[in-house]
Amino acid sequence: MNDAGANRPVDQNGFTVATRGRGFFEITRQVADLVAASAVQTGIAHVFTAHTSCSLLISENADPTVRGDLERWMARVVPDGDPMFRHDAEGPDDMPAHIRSVLCGVSLTVPVAGGRLRLGTWQGIYLWEHRTHPHQRKVTVTVLGC
Amino acid sequence: MNDAGANRPVDQNGFTVATRGRGFFEITRQVADLVAASAVQTGIAHVFTAHTSCSLLISENADPTVRGDLERWMARVVPDGDPMFRHDAEGPDDMPAHIRSVLCGVSLTVPVAGGRLRLGTWQGIYLWEHRTHPHQRKVTVTVLGC
Amino acid sequence: MNDAGANRPVDQNGFTVATRGRGFFEITRQVADLVAASAVQTGIAHVFTAHTSCSLLISENADPTVRGDLERWMARVVPDGDPMFRHDAEGPDDMPAHIRSVLCGVSLTVPVAGGRLRLGTWQGIYLWEHRTHPHQRKVTVTVLGC
């Protein structure tokens, strides 16, 4: 495996998340499977989504009330339909989705060790859909190392 | 090109952004050009700015009202001259600039595929100057892969 | 050193930060030392913490009032004991710690050049403990390049 790793130091793959509107969609399993399938034993896994109205984040993976509280807090800080916003052609969730996307970001990087994704016990990787309607969200995973 | 990539798995270059005070300065072209000039076909591009009062971000690149709304929202959540702030030696925008910089971050990582920066259709890379006066902002781009 | 770099393109190490409750703990020295000890001359250093209630951030390293202001601002925007939060089994700081962790993130990536971590003059790397009680926080540093 080490020799294979030396010859193929980078693996890049992708998948699509079909969201059902605003909310959290866990992608830990998909990312971990791509890392395990790669030749990289030690390195990093970079996860990226090519959109401006959703986010990637690492959050607590055990209690679903954490995601509910995140959603409620964000809705208070970045309210849909705020009259301050001029960019509203796609509806009251249009500009809030862009702000949420900037605040949480569209990429994550996680260590790889022993050929596996090394998240903490309580860490899960989520795609956070910020639009109220369903979307197809592309995710690219790049694994680098040796 | 593949052989060259194997021999030169990393390219690092930089440029300076001369800001004209608070606002957004698109750097997508500069980053994409450095990626295209590198020997890396598949991997990642890391973009970093060596300051604590500006940010890098990926945001919607078509409608300038998105950036205007981002600026207005941030000015409401992190107000200049807030009496809560003790760090104000450089003016009312001093501490807000540091908070904005922490919230949005000073680095980005984007996939590279086929020798090109792989942003989504509507994604642009921006340097967000948070100080009200012009500054010279250093940006470093590191491209890794094979 | 270049040959060694080609043979060992990745170095991964870790350390633990014993926090004393909510506040900032600088880890610039530990990260810089791991970069200097690695065989990588040009590349990136990725820093990751495997938890969901603390953050890593780059912030101003000279005036401690910056960190005080960051703490006060965050306490206003994400208040402890907010009745909006349902996830409070571990106390009034439980859910705010998760939100702060999502906002600031749990990983950082910094350029490496000339075998050294290339932060700006005023940039320091901090672990931000968001819980009010002390914790042991694991940090993993992965250095990639050549």
Side-chain angles (χ1 to χ4, degrees):
Chain A
M1 281 299 276
N2 281 333
D3 285 345
N7 291 332
R8 293 177 54 212
V10 180
D11 273 290
Q12 192 172 70
N13 283 283
F15 55 89
T16 299
V17 180
T19 71
R20 300 181 297 276
R22 188 169 282 178
F24 295 86
F25 300 87
E26 187 164 13
I27 58 170
T28 311
R29 175 53 49 205
Q30 290 97 311
V31 177
D33 286 351
L34 289 174
V35 169
S38 84
V40 172
Q41 292 293 303
T42 306
I44 57 173
H46 174 249
V47 192
F48 183 83
T49 188
H51 308 276
T52 64
S53 53
C54 63
S55 296
L56 296 176
L57 74 156
I58 290 174
S59 189
E60 209 265 357
N61 61 7
D63 182 353
T65 66
V66 170
R67 270 99 69 199
D69 286 348
L70 270 169
E71 191 66 65
R72 275 185 292 278
W73 180 84
M74 196 61 102
R76 181 171 69 189
V77 175
V78 193
D80 283 351
D82 192 311
M84 165 192 284
F85 299 140
R86 297 176 191 172
H87 178 86
D88 58 4
E90 294 187 19
D93 61 321
D94 185 349
M95 189 60 214
H98 291 309
I99 294 179
R100 288 157 164 251
S101 176
V102 166
L103 284 180
C104 293
V106 294
S107 84
L108 298 172
T109 307
V110 178
V112 173
R116 292 177 52 208
L117 189 70
R118 289 297 177 175
L119 291 168
T121 308
W122 308 107
Q123 290 182 318
I125 302 179
Y126 295 87
L127 185 139
W128 193 353
E129 174 63 73
H130 298 308
R131 300 302 309 273
T132 53
H133 288 292
H135 282 76
Q136 299 288 321
R137 302 303 196 176
K138 288 178 277 188
V139 176
T140 300
V141 179
T142 309
V143 192
L144 297 98
C146 67
Chain B
M1 282 298 275
N2 281 334
D3 286 345
N7 292 329
R8 293 177 53 213
V10 180
D11 273 291
Q12 192 172 69
N13 283 284
F15 55 88
T16 298
V17 180
T19 71
R20 300 181 296 277
R22 187 170 282 180
F24 296 86
F25 300 87
E26 187 164 14
I27 59 170
T28 312
R29 175 53 49 206
Q30 292 98 309
V31 177
D33 286 351
L34 289 175
V35 169
S38 84
V40 173
Q41 292 293 303
T42 306
I44 57 173
H46 174 248
V47 192
F48 183 84
T49 188
H51 308 276
T52 64
S53 53
C54 63
S55 296
L56 298 176
L57 74 158
I58 290 174
S59 189
E60 208 265 355
N61 61 7
D63 181 354
T65 65
V66 170
R67 270 99 67 200
D69 286 347
L70 269 169
E71 192 65 65
R72 275 186 293 278
W73 180 84
M74 195 61 101
R76 182 172 70 188
V77 174
V78 193
D80 283 351
D82 192 311
M84 166 193 284
F85 299 140
R86 298 178 191 170
H87 178 86
D88 58 5
E90 294 187 20
D93 62 322
D94 186 348
M95 190 60 215
H98 292 308
I99 294 179
R100 289 157 162 252
S101 176
V102 166
L103 283 180
C104 294
V106 294
S107 83
L108 298 171
T109 308
V110 179
V112 174
R116 292 178 51 210
L117 188 70
R118 290 296 177 175
L119 291 167
T121 308
W122 307 107
Q123 290 181 318
I125 302 179
Y126 295 87
L127 185 138
W128 193 352
E129 175 62 73
H130 298 307
R131 300 301 310 271
T132 53
H133 287 293
H135 282 76
Q136 300 289 320
R137 301 305 196 175
K138 287 178 277 186
V139 176
T140 301
V141 179
T142 309
V143 192
L144 297 98
C146 67
Chain C
M1 283 300 277
N2 281 334
D3 286 346
N7 292 331
R8 292 178 53 212
V10 181
D11 272 291
Q12 192 172 69
N13 282 284
F15 55 88
T16 298
V17 180
T19 72
R20 300 180 296 278
R22 188 170 280 178
F24 296 86
F25 299 87
E26 187 163 14
I27 59 170
T28 312
R29 176 53 48 206
Q30 291 98 310
V31 176
D33 285 350
L34 289 175
V35 169
S38 84
V40 173
Q41 291 293 303
T42 306
I44 58 173
H46 174 249
V47 192
F48 184 82
T49 188
H51 308 275
T52 63
S53 53
C54 63
S55 296
L56 298 175
L57 74 157
I58 290 175
S59 189
E60 208 265 356
N61 62 7
D63 181 353
T65 66
V66 170
R67 269 100 68 200
D69 285 349
L70 269 169
E71 191 65 66
R72 276 185 291 278
W73 181 85
M74 195 60 101
R76 181 171 70 188
V77 175
V78 193
D80 283 351
D82 192 312
M84 166 193 283
F85 299 140
R86 297 177 191 170
H87 179 85
D88 58 4
E90 294 187 19
D93 62 320
D94 186 349
M95 190 61 214
H98 291 309
I99 294 179
R100 290 158 161 248
S101 176
V102 166
L103 284 179
C104 294
V106 294
S107 83
L108 299 170
T109 308
V110 179
V112 173
R116 291 178 52 209
L117 189 70
R118 289 297 178 175
L119 290 167
T121 308
W122 308 106
Q123 290 182 318
I125 303 179
Y126 295 87
L127 185 139
W128 193 351
E129 174 62 72
H130 298 308
R131 300 302 309 273
T132 53
H133 288 292
H135 283 75
Q136 300 288 320
R137 301 303 196 177
K138 287 179 277 187
V139 176
T140 300
V141 179
T142 309
V143 192
L144 296 98
C146 68

